Amino acid sequence: MATSAPRNGWIIWFSLALALLLSVAPMPEFMAVGRPLWVALVLTFWTLAVPHRIGMTTAWLLGLLSDVLNGTLLGQNALVLTLTIFMVLSLHRRLRMFPMWQQSLVLLVVFGLAQLVQLWLSALTGNRQPTLEFVFPALVSALLWPWVFAIFRGLQVRLGVH
């Protein structure tokens, strides 16, 4: 069985760079509480779409870049993103078979657990008081998942990314 060479990998890296920029883009104060987890969303899509190209190493590197951009403890976002992608890879085959609303619910749990780890790490370092606001980014990200999936799936098909 002949395998073809990877094509149009630039779109993957461009979309991940755009997600990093969106994660630090300024937002109004009332909306900042529910800032979507852009890097986790885009990374989740590409992990589900091309798991042979994007995985935990990519998540770790993007997490380190996110730590530098956000000015957080070095390795904090890297750990959280790596755990998120580990959970997504563990559920990879099931997630691909689920209808979109079930994917959103599963990703709500995955992102919620990631936010819980993020909250725990922030509380350990003394940066943030524990509140229930940590749920909002996971909820907003789960609600955005169908649109993120549709946009990037269209790009993947149109540009032949594999």
Side-chain angles (χ1 to χ4, degrees), residues 91 95 98-113 138-139 141-146:
L91 299 168
L95 268 174
F98 287 162
M100 192 56 59
W101 67 272
Q102 280 183 328
Q103 285 182 12
S104 291
L105 285 177
V106 170
L107 289 178
L108 173 64
V109 172
V110 168
F111 294 152
L113 288 172
L139 181 62
S141 298
L143 291 173
L144 284 175
W145 173 249

Side-chain angles (χ1 to χ4, degrees), residues 60 63-64 67 72-80 121:
W60 179 260
L64 288 177
D67 287 329
T72 58
L73 183 66
L74 193 62
Q76 183 174 340
N77 287 320
L79 175 65
V80 171
L121 290 171

Side-chain angles (χ1 to χ4, degrees), residues 96-150:
R96 289 182 61 127
M97 290 177 41
F98 287 162
M100 192 56 59
W101 67 272
Q102 280 183 328
Q103 285 182 12
S104 291
L105 285 177
V106 170
L107 289 178
L108 173 64
V109 172
V110 168
F111 294 152
L113 288 172
Q115 286 297 100
L116 187 62
V117 170
Q118 184 86 303
L119 177 74
W120 178 66
L121 290 171
S122 294
L124 282 177
T125 59
N127 292 334
R128 186 172 174 185
Q129 295 297 322
T131 63
L132 284 178
E133 289 179 354
F134 77 91
V135 176
F136 294 143
L139 181 62
V140 170
S141 298
L143 291 173
L144 284 175
W145 173 249
W147 286 279
V148 169
F149 183 86

Side-chain angles (χ1 to χ4, degrees), residues 6-159:
R7 289 184 35 199
N8 291 333
W10 64 270
I11 192 68
I12 296 172
W13 300 109
F14 178 77
S15 64
L16 290 171
L18 183 64
L20 278 170
L21 290 175
L22 284 173
S23 70
V24 295
M27 291 180 79
E29 189 65 35
F30 72 95
M31 291 176 62
V33 169
R35 177 185 296 272
L37 305 169
W38 291 114
V39 178
L41 278 168
V42 174
L43 198 55
T44 296
F45 173 80
W46 289 118
T47 301
L48 289 174
V50 285
H52 56 281
R53 293 181 72 180
I54 302 294
M56 291 180 9
T57 304
T58 307
W60 179 260
L61 293 173
L62 282 174
L64 288 177
L65 283 172
S66 184
D67 287 329
V68 171
L69 284 174
N70 292 321
T72 58
L73 183 66
L74 193 62
Q76 183 174 340
N77 287 320
L79 175 65
V80 171
L81 276 176
T82 304
L83 288 172
T84 302
I85 296 308
F86 173 75
M87 289 185 276
V88 168
L89 283 170
S90 298
L91 299 168
H92 174 260
R93 292 190 188 265
R94 281 185 230 146
L95 268 174
R96 289 182 61 127
M97 290 177 41
F98 287 162
M100 192 56 59
W101 67 272
Q102 280 183 328
Q103 285 182 12
S104 291
L105 285 177
V106 170
L107 289 178
L108 173 64
V109 172
V110 168
F111 294 152
L113 288 172
Q115 286 297 100
L116 187 62
V117 170
Q118 184 86 303
L119 177 74
W120 178 66
L121 290 171
S122 294
L124 282 177
T125 59
N127 292 334
R128 186 172 174 185
Q129 295 297 322
T131 63
L132 284 178
E133 289 179 354
F134 77 91
V135 176
F136 294 143
L139 181 62
V140 170
S141 298
L143 291 173
L144 284 175
W145 173 249
W147 286 279
V148 169
F149 183 86
I151 290 167
F152 284 109
R153 180 67 177 156
L155 278 174
Q156 181 191 13
V157 169
R158 186 174 194 166
L159 297 174

